Amino acid sequence: MSDLLKDPLILRQIIMDHYEYPRNHHLVEDETYHKAHMASESCIDDITVMAKIENNVIQDVCFDGIACTISTASTSIMSELLIGKTLEEATEIISEYYKMVELLPYDEEMLQEAVAFHQVGKQANRIKCATIGFKAIETCIKEHKHDQ
Amino acid sequence: MFEVGKIRQDFPFLMKAEQADPQLVYLDNAATTLKPQSVIDAVVRYYTESSVNIHRGDYALSYEVSNAYEGVRKTVAKFIQCEPNEVVFTSGASAALNLVAYGYAEKVLKQEDVILMSEAEHASNVLPWFRVAEKTGAKIEYLPLDEEGVLTLEGFKEALHDKVKIVTLAHISNVLGAVVPIKEITALTHQKGAIIVVDGAQSVPHTKTFVKDWDVDFLAFAGHKMLSPTGVGVLYGKFELLQQMDPFLLGGGSNARFDKNGHVVLKNPPFKFEAGTPAIEGVLGLDAAICYIEALGFEAIEQHELELKHYTVEKLKQFKHIKLYNEKSQSGIIAFNVIGIPTQDVAAYLSSLGVMVRAGNHCAKLLSEIIHTQETVRASINFYNTKAEMDIFIDALKDITLEKCIDLIF
């Protein structure tokens, strides 16, 4: 994993791939999903994330909307990363991701492809883009816990 | 003689920007403009030499500041060609448009009356009208625009009818820079007995304004988009309309007297709209800004800005990866997209090369259906920009790729 971090070409490839072919890029008409609409203050990104949480496990995550490369790719990676995880695991991954974005020590293994954004914290104005999907899934999890 | 090199020396920001590495190129003038030293000096002079409040003329210094403040009303009146008592100082164009909406329109509009506007309007000239419509039962109707956001007189005639009581339009659109034939539209509006409100935020800084000759009823503009400090703007209103209009802020300075039974006698316009201590330094700075612009002259300003716009458009047209949205508009705004790259990434890439532009929908959220895109990148020119700066901008766009945009985060 550490070697991967040293190769910007591979990291760029990961981001390109998730931007051009975003995973789970659709919304569903299903009342059992939680939904978070995120329109960032910069008035550009406008995405909706939906999550199905059952038996304490994130069963599905999907998203759609208008967003920049960083927002789209990070949300796509987030969806792959969190599907199938328990809420505790998901919360830990999200917290590690935020640590990485803030340029603090973090667990590389846990973040997998999301390490592509390990330097994004150096561009303060793009932090919002890189975290928009993670904030959205946090809202979904919060809503789920509130409903329980 | 218009010497841009000499002009730039008056702007401390530009002198620093030229020394920066990479050189900074400011092309977000539709958002706000840079300030010349004379404006900065006017603000500093107020705080170092005067500092006291206006309209408290019991001591000499306050009397002098009050005189200077009222003198700016005369400067503005001359600048837009009206009477000083038709100039209301506000905190900006948004405050001015809100004042017309709540103070005038809400008072006169009735159910089924129509407010006519365009889908290219800035949020500041849309949202107050939505609220007025909701409160009065009036309806909003939209004017037809072509795909460069241009409103034609024929289109305007077709949309106008007897129920229309208010027409509200930007003289120059902040996204596409389309220029509206304001005098002709005003005449047609008046033939139907309606009044016209003009958002001059993007036009007053760049082209000569003649409110009396055009016969417009209200016109709003912001100081900071034309070299002045932030926090000051102007609402022009025909005096008889200002008399009918209610203030939406009440307080010190706006009343002549009141008693404990609630009887209030308001001052005459424009003072009844100016409750509270205004942005005195902003108004004094606006005076210096107008002096600066008038010394250059609008003829030279327009010629220079349009020359830069046409020069840039001609170059950008040759790039297959660039889509232009307003090639023909006669103002210094260039709206474009890089095919396949989101606007924010384009702006971030340009920023990494020192070029400052704006990405997004530019607060004109209704426009997307007209130009078939949610977002654009906007480069907006002011008279202090140069061909060399436009070349930096053009070169940056020449070989932009998605890969390069993404590489910025490594």
Side-chain angles (χ1 to χ4, degrees):
Chain A
M1 202 56 136
S2 297
D3 293 340
L4 182 68
L5 284 179
K6 289 193 194 99
D7 191 346
L9 277 181
I10 295 181
L11 298 181
R12 180 222 273 172
Q13 208 45 53
I14 294 174
I15 296 176
M16 289 278 287
D17 186 47
H18 279 273
Y19 170 66
E20 289 181 314
Y21 310 99
R23 324 292 196 268
N24 304 304
H25 198 233
H26 59 268
L27 294 178
V28 290
E29 300 263 339
D30 186 337
E31 295 283 298
T32 64
Y33 278 67
H34 293 282
K35 193 171 177 178
H37 176 222
M38 310 291 284
S40 88
E41 289 154 27
S42 66
C43 92
I44 295 183
D45 297 326
D46 186 330
I47 67 163
T48 300
V49 171
M50 296 183 77
K52 186 180 173 77
I53 305 170
E54 237 173 37
N55 305 325
N56 202 45
V57 172
I58 298 176
Q59 309 285 352
D60 188 26
V61 180
C62 54
F63 77 103
D64 201 359
I66 299 155
C68 67
T69 51
I70 313 284
S71 308
T72 304
S74 62
T75 305
S76 169
I77 290 174
M78 176 278 291
S79 72
E80 285 202 320
L81 203 51
L82 297 191
I83 290 174
K85 299 287 191 300
T86 65
L87 290 186
E88 292 72 26
E89 287 167 340
T91 307
E92 210 176 335
I93 291 170
I94 294 167
S95 134
E96 288 304 304
Y97 184 78
Y98 289 160
K99 280 187 209 163
M100 178 187 77
V101 167
E102 284 170 37
L103 305 172
L104 299 169
Y106 63 96
D107 185 336
E108 286 171 26
E109 293 300 328
M110 205 183 270
L111 292 185
Q112 304 202 21
E113 282 191 327
V115 296
F117 297 102
H118 75 119
Q119 298 273 45
V120 78
K122 289 184 180 168
Q123 305 271 331
N125 58 339
R126 305 310 294 273
I127 291 177
K128 262 190 205 150
C129 316
T131 52
I132 190 167
F134 287 84
K135 298 262 188 237
I137 191 80
E138 268 192 307
T139 306
C140 293
I141 293 173
K142 217 175 184 175
E143 217 180 87
H144 171 79
K145 286 184 175 163
H146 185 261
D147 291 351
Q148 293 296 297
Chain B
M1 177 71 185
F2 188 86
E3 288 178 72
V4 69
K6 217 164 149 215
I7 288 167
R8 289 170 70 82
Q9 289 172 17
D10 296 332
F11 290 78
F13 180 98
L14 290 173
M15 290 300 95
K16 266 182 109 170
E18 283 182 9
Q19 299 307 317
D21 184 26
Q23 179 186 334
L24 297 175
V25 176
Y26 185 69
L27 291 175
D28 195 16
N29 293 290
T32 198
T33 54
L34 308 172
K35 317 305 174 200
Q37 191 61 49
S38 60
V39 167
I40 299 166
D41 287 346
V43 174
V44 174
R45 199 179 312 123
Y46 166 67
Y47 286 118
T48 50
E49 292 174 20
S50 319
S51 243
V52 302
N53 212 330
I54 53 163
H55 304 146
R56 311 281 184 282
D58 300 327
Y59 43 96
L61 197 52
S62 172
Y63 183 75
E64 280 169 28
V65 180
S66 304
N67 269 353
Y69 185 90
E70 287 309 314
V72 186
R73 223 184 283 280
K74 290 182 194 146
T75 308
V76 172
K78 214 176 126 229
F79 181 61
I80 61 171
Q81 312 259 300
C82 67
E83 296 300 320
N85 64 3
E86 295 173 314
V87 173
V88 181
F89 289 122
T90 65
S91 68
S94 297
L97 290 164
N98 274 270
L99 176 54
V100 183
Y102 306 136
Y104 180 80
E106 198 177 308
K107 202 171 161 186
V108 302
L109 285 178
K110 298 189 177 54
Q111 202 138 14
E112 303 304 313
D113 283 347
V114 168
I115 301 164
L116 193 56
M117 64 164 82
S118 100
E119 282 155 273
E121 296 305 309
H122 186 282
S124 296
N125 200 25
V126 176
L127 302 186
W129 301 107
F130 280 2
R131 182 169 287 185
V132 166
E134 198 184 305
K135 285 193 174 172
T136 59
K139 286 192 298 191
I140 307 258
E141 286 179 9
Y142 297 101
L143 289 158
L145 300 177
D146 74 11
E147 56 189 22
E148 279 208 15
V150 175
L151 169 66
T152 61
L153 276 180
E154 290 65 40
F156 185 75
K157 278 182 203 158
E158 274 171 37
L160 194 63
H161 55 81
D162 291 338
K163 292 262 187 213
V164 174
K165 292 291 178 281
I166 291 181
V167 172
T168 187
L169 274 178
H171 184 193
I172 295 182
S173 132
N174 77 310
V175 185
L176 296 170
V179 186
V180 162
I182 212 73
K183 189 174 176 177
E184 292 78 1
I185 279 176
T186 301
L188 291 167
T189 303
H190 289 160
Q191 278 169 23
K192 289 280 178 199
I195 67 140
I196 183 159
V197 181
V198 178
D199 174 1
Q202 299 297 342
S203 62
V204 175
H206 301 281
T207 186
K208 183 72 187 158
T209 301
F210 302 95
V211 288
K212 285 288 167 207
D213 177 51
W214 297 343
D215 202 25
V216 299
D217 299 291
F218 292 101
L219 177 130
F221 66 95
H224 72 94
K225 291 189 199 288
M226 44 177 279
L227 316 184
S228 111
T230 55
V232 61
V234 168
L235 175 67
Y236 156 79
K238 284 181 178 164
F239 192 73
E240 59 272 24
L241 293 175
L242 291 182
Q243 281 177 311
Q244 290 170 42
M245 186 165 83
D246 289 336
F248 83 115
L249 271 180
L250 293 170
S254 67
N255 67 86
R257 65 187 75 86
F258 56 90
D259 64 26
K260 64 179 188 184
N261 297 323
H263 301 305
V264 181
V265 180
L266 289 174
K267 286 184 181 170
N268 283 322
F271 308 106
K272 70 172 178 177
F273 304 109
E274 296 178 11
T277 296
I280 302 170
E281 97 270 20
V283 169
L284 298 175
L286 178 61
D287 195 57
I290 291 174
C291 284
Y292 192 96
I293 289 172
E294 288 196 318
L296 292 180
F298 275 114
E299 206 181 318
I301 288 175
E302 277 185 274
Q303 195 192 340
H304 180 73
E305 290 175 1
L306 284 178
E307 195 184 313
L308 288 186
K309 192 215 161 174
H310 293 143
Y311 172 77
T312 310
V313 162
E314 284 311 309
K315 296 257 177 164
L316 293 182
K317 262 167 77 174
Q318 293 164 23
F319 301 159
K320 289 208 170 61
H321 59 292
I322 303 280
K323 176 165 173 55
L324 291 163
Y325 293 93
N326 66 337
E327 221 178 278
K328 294 190 215 101
S329 79
Q330 294 296 304
S331 69
I333 290 176
I334 301 166
F336 67 97
N337 266 316
V338 180
I339 294 161
I341 309 183
T343 58
Q344 198 177 2
D345 294 272
V346 174
Y349 179 74
L350 291 175
S351 168
S352 75
L353 297 172
V355 181
M356 293 174 254
V357 296
R358 173 92 191 266
N361 54 36
H362 316 292
C363 302
K365 300 188 192 236
L366 303 175
L367 191 61
S368 56
E369 286 171 33
I370 308 285
I371 58 175
H372 309 294
T373 179
Q374 290 284 340
E375 297 172 359
T376 51
V377 185
R378 178 186 72 187
S380 47
I381 295 163
N382 207 5
F383 59 78
Y384 43 62
N385 288 122
T386 63
K387 226 172 222 179
E389 287 183 309
M390 300 319 289
D391 280 334
I392 294 176
F393 168 64
I394 294 160
D395 283 345
L397 285 173
K398 196 173 181 174
D399 48 9
I400 186 173
T401 61
L402 190 57
E403 285 84 347
K404 286 184 182 175
C405 292
I406 290 172
D407 282 351
L408 289 178
I409 67 161
F410 298 119

